[in-house]
Amino acid sequence: MNATNVLEDLKRRFPNEPEYHQAVEEVLSTIEEEYNKHPEFDKVNLIERLCIPDRVYQFRVTWVDDQGNVRTNMGYRVQHNNAIGPYKGGIRFHASVNLGILKFLAFEQTFKNSLTTLPMGGGKGGSDFSPRGKSNAEVMRFCQAFMLELWRHIGPETDVPAGDIGVGGREVGYMFGMYKKLSHEFTGTLTGKGIEFGGSLIRPEATGYGNIYFLQEMLKTRGLDLKGKVCLISGSGNVAQYTAEKVIELGGKVVTMSDSDGYIYDPDGIDREKLDYIMELKNLYRGRIREYAEKYGCKYVAGAKPWGEKADIALPSATQNELNGDHARQLVANGVIAVSEGANMPSTPEAIRVFQEAKILYAPGKAANAGGVSVSGLEMTQNSIKLGWSKEEVDERLKSIMKNIHEACVKYGTEADGYINYVKGANVAGFMKVAKAMMAQGIV
Ligand code: NDP
């Protein structure tokens, strides 16, 4: 395989999908060497089959808003690869959603799910519908209209969606209700469900907690821990909230959180009580992070990212490409020791280069945020055996999975000088398992 040629070919065939090209380039450049040790892979053109999704569903979603207007959005489901298990991956509702973004997310998801050690393939879906500013009734009608089309393509052994940006417990609940009605079955086809109807304890917390468990493993390699460390968090949604919760619990200090309008900087630290306020503000009232600064009298910076503030650790937890080369240089100049990604692909390729050249601890999302899908996998298991595990049991399993992912990264990513290249480690480890499964299953 020549990574450059494969990428150029994909760019030519699938133009105008820059995020998809970016995600593929990152993986190909790190697995090329390992891949070429296996000439049997190239004989069956494994790489092209792994880069191009198995199939893509694209559909119209029509719903009626509170004023009686008929509205139309686009809906998608990308089923990327099911070599090691049913397609699995979240659904994103955000105005920016398009096919290229979902293809990048589904591609990444395939390697991430492979890393978790659980039997899950990769997929992703969503819509350019934005829940922001919509009433509960509008969100419900949209979710129902979305599921009216999607339901025929998913199932507990086929494809199991979950949440992502703009899709939390409320939206999963509405989609599950409609799925159940249409399929006339009560199965675990979606994860992230409410605890009363098949959801797993710790699923809401899992991505954020998992990121911090992974960070702890990284810090250990340098004889460090979280106590007293100042952390920058971006975002204030599901991942950001539970990342902050775990940092606070372990004695770290969170000084920033953000939303798409700007960020707050609280030098005294966001403590438990202030975090409760943010959770209420975001999850109940669906307000803006600016309101935190008004309530607690701290700095609010509109239209900016938090990466210019001084800290020990950065935890990007909002969206893709939210941390660029300049931000990375600022973080390094300010003495950051670790960056661990709660979001998917939040750092640009240039930012990643800056972190790796500075030899700081840097964990890509597909390793560090795999806790979310891992507990989704555990939710599938609990649904299958029709039992629910305790909070402690799920949390222990989550910790152990994050530890295993860290070990896999160390195994495949340690370089000659001892620096752990977590990007390479995660990509090679994730790739090898999928590749072996595809080889065993023949050319399909
Ligand atoms: P939420 O919708 O709960 O929160 C997203 C947060 O990011 C909000 O604060 C939102 O601000 C902000 N945000 C979204 N888009 C942008 C943007 N274009 N620019 C700036 N800020 C933005 O989503 P999640 O917390 O679930 O997801 C966050 C990230 O984590 C995503 O990259 C997702 O793919 C990833 N992830 C999520 C998992 C999960 O289990 N939920 C699992 C693994 C990864 P605003 O309110 O203004 O929109």
Side-chain angles (χ1 to χ4, degrees):
M1 183 242 302
N2 176 315
T4 314
N5 292 350
V6 176
L7 186 70
E8 285 313 311
D9 185 50
L10 290 178
K11 283 183 178 169
R12 185 183 54 76
R13 293 163 74 186
F14 310 105
N16 309 318
E17 296 180 354
E19 293 86 359
Y20 170 59
H21 304 154
Q22 183 183 334
V24 170
E25 182 166 17
E26 185 218 274
V27 170
L28 294 191
S29 63
T30 50
I31 64 166
E32 188 173 15
E33 193 186 330
E34 190 63 32
Y35 184 94
N36 287 333
K37 290 183 193 158
H38 299 268
E40 70 277 16
F41 290 171
D42 228 29
K43 264 198 194 133
V44 293
N45 198 5
L46 191 92
I47 202 63
E48 196 179 26
R49 289 160 54 208
L50 186 52
C51 288
I52 299 177
D54 288 355
R55 68 190 66 76
V56 174
Y57 297 107
Q58 190 166 332
F59 45 90
R60 171 174 57 76
V61 184
T62 296
W63 56 285
V64 182
D65 70 19
D66 286 348
Q67 284 71 45
N69 302 308
V70 177
R71 309 271 293 260
T72 292
N73 287 95
M74 285 309 300
Y76 309 87
R77 184 73 184 166
V78 178
Q79 296 184 335
H80 190 86
N81 185 293
N82 67 350
I84 62 172
Y87 303 106
K88 178 91 198 86
I91 289 180
R92 176 176 293 192
F93 290 164
H94 193 270
S96 64
V97 163
N98 58 41
L99 185 56
I101 288 180
L102 296 177
K103 278 172 70 179
F104 120 62
L105 288 163
F107 175 80
E108 289 271 299
Q109 193 82 46
T110 300
F111 299 95
K112 180 191 305 187
N113 292 1
S114 165
L115 278 173
T116 65
T117 68
L118 302 174
M120 300 181 290
K124 201 86 187 188
S127 171
D128 57 0
F129 168 82
S130 169
R132 189 171 164 180
K134 305 287 191 305
S135 71
N136 254 322
E138 288 176 321
V139 169
M140 182 176 75
R141 288 197 293 277
F142 177 81
C143 289
Q144 292 174 337
F146 182 82
M147 195 45 84
L148 200 52
E149 200 52 49
L150 184 66
W151 79 280
R152 71 192 84 240
H153 306 302
I154 60 178
E157 311 296 340
T158 310
D159 183 351
V160 183
D164 190 74
I165 291 178
V167 178
R170 174 181 64 167
E171 291 75 15
V172 168
Y174 292 150
M175 284 193 275
F176 181 77
M178 194 59 171
Y179 177 81
K180 182 172 62 82
K181 196 171 180 77
L182 291 163
S183 64
H184 198 49
E185 268 181 357
F186 193 108
T187 58
T189 294
L190 286 120
T191 59
K193 298 184 291 297
I195 205 68
E196 307 78 8
F197 52 100
S200 175
L201 289 164
I202 302 288
R203 176 60 188 91
E205 294 89 343
T207 310
Y209 281 18
N211 187 16
I212 299 307
Y213 296 151
F214 194 89
L215 172 68
Q216 283 184 300
E217 293 300 313
M218 287 207 294
L219 290 172
K220 261 195 235 161
T221 66
R222 302 210 173 164
L224 299 168
D225 64 27
L226 248 174
K227 236 185 169 53
K229 301 286 183 304
V230 176
C231 299
L232 306 178
I233 295 181
S234 64
S236 48
N238 171 269
V239 177
Q241 291 172 15
Y242 289 105
T243 300
E245 181 167 288
K246 194 46 94 178
V247 169
I248 296 166
E249 188 191 312
L250 295 173
K253 184 176 180 184
V254 178
V255 293
T256 67
M257 286 180 84
S258 70
D259 59 24
S260 47
D261 296 337
Y263 76 90
I264 52 119
Y265 175 69
D266 185 343
D268 298 333
I270 299 170
D271 59 18
R272 179 71 253 182
E273 193 193 317
K274 292 171 174 173
L275 182 61
D276 284 342
Y277 168 76
I278 292 178
M279 288 179 163
E280 208 176 284
L281 175 73
K282 285 289 170 184
N283 308 344
L284 227 58
Y285 302 112
R286 303 193 184 263
R288 309 308 300 159
I289 200 71
R290 173 181 29 81
E291 297 168 52
Y292 176 101
E294 287 157 12
K295 182 171 167 70
Y296 294 106
C298 72
K299 178 167 103 176
Y300 170 71
V301 186
K305 316 276 182 212
W307 314 126
E309 304 294 346
K310 189 167 166 44
D312 304 305
I313 293 166
L315 301 161
S317 309
T319 192
Q320 65 273 0
N321 292 328
E322 55 165 315
L323 196 164
N324 63 27
D326 289 337
H327 297 135
R329 277 182 285 275
Q330 252 176 318
L331 285 168
V332 170
N334 280 338
V336 84
I337 52 173
V339 178
S340 199
E341 297 182 341
N344 284 310
M345 208 168 76
S347 305
T348 63
E350 191 190 350
I352 297 173
R353 263 195 307 279
V354 172
F355 295 144
Q356 292 184 330
E357 276 165 23
K359 305 269 174 195
I360 64 160
L361 297 167
Y362 165 70
K366 71 167 76 67
N369 72 31
V373 74
S374 299
V375 175
S376 272
L378 300 179
E379 183 172 328
M380 288 164 72
T381 306
Q382 293 170 78
N383 291 165
S384 297
I385 60 174
K386 297 187 163 56
L387 282 175
W389 294 331
S390 71
K391 204 170 160 171
E392 292 71 27
E393 185 161 1
V394 178
D395 201 27
E396 270 318 303
R397 285 177 194 264
L398 171 63
K399 273 187 198 151
S400 136
I401 289 170
M402 297 316 293
K403 221 173 149 155
N404 286 337
I405 297 175
H406 185 268
E407 272 167 23
C409 290
V410 172
K411 179 173 171 197
Y412 290 99
T414 304
E415 295 182 335
D417 63 356
Y419 178 66
I420 304 164
N421 182 337
Y422 286 93
V423 179
K424 182 177 176 198
N427 287 341
V428 173
F431 163 75
M432 283 308 286
K433 184 171 164 188
V434 179
K436 284 180 187 167
M438 287 174 72
M439 290 300 292
Q441 292 168 22
I443 300 170
V444 286

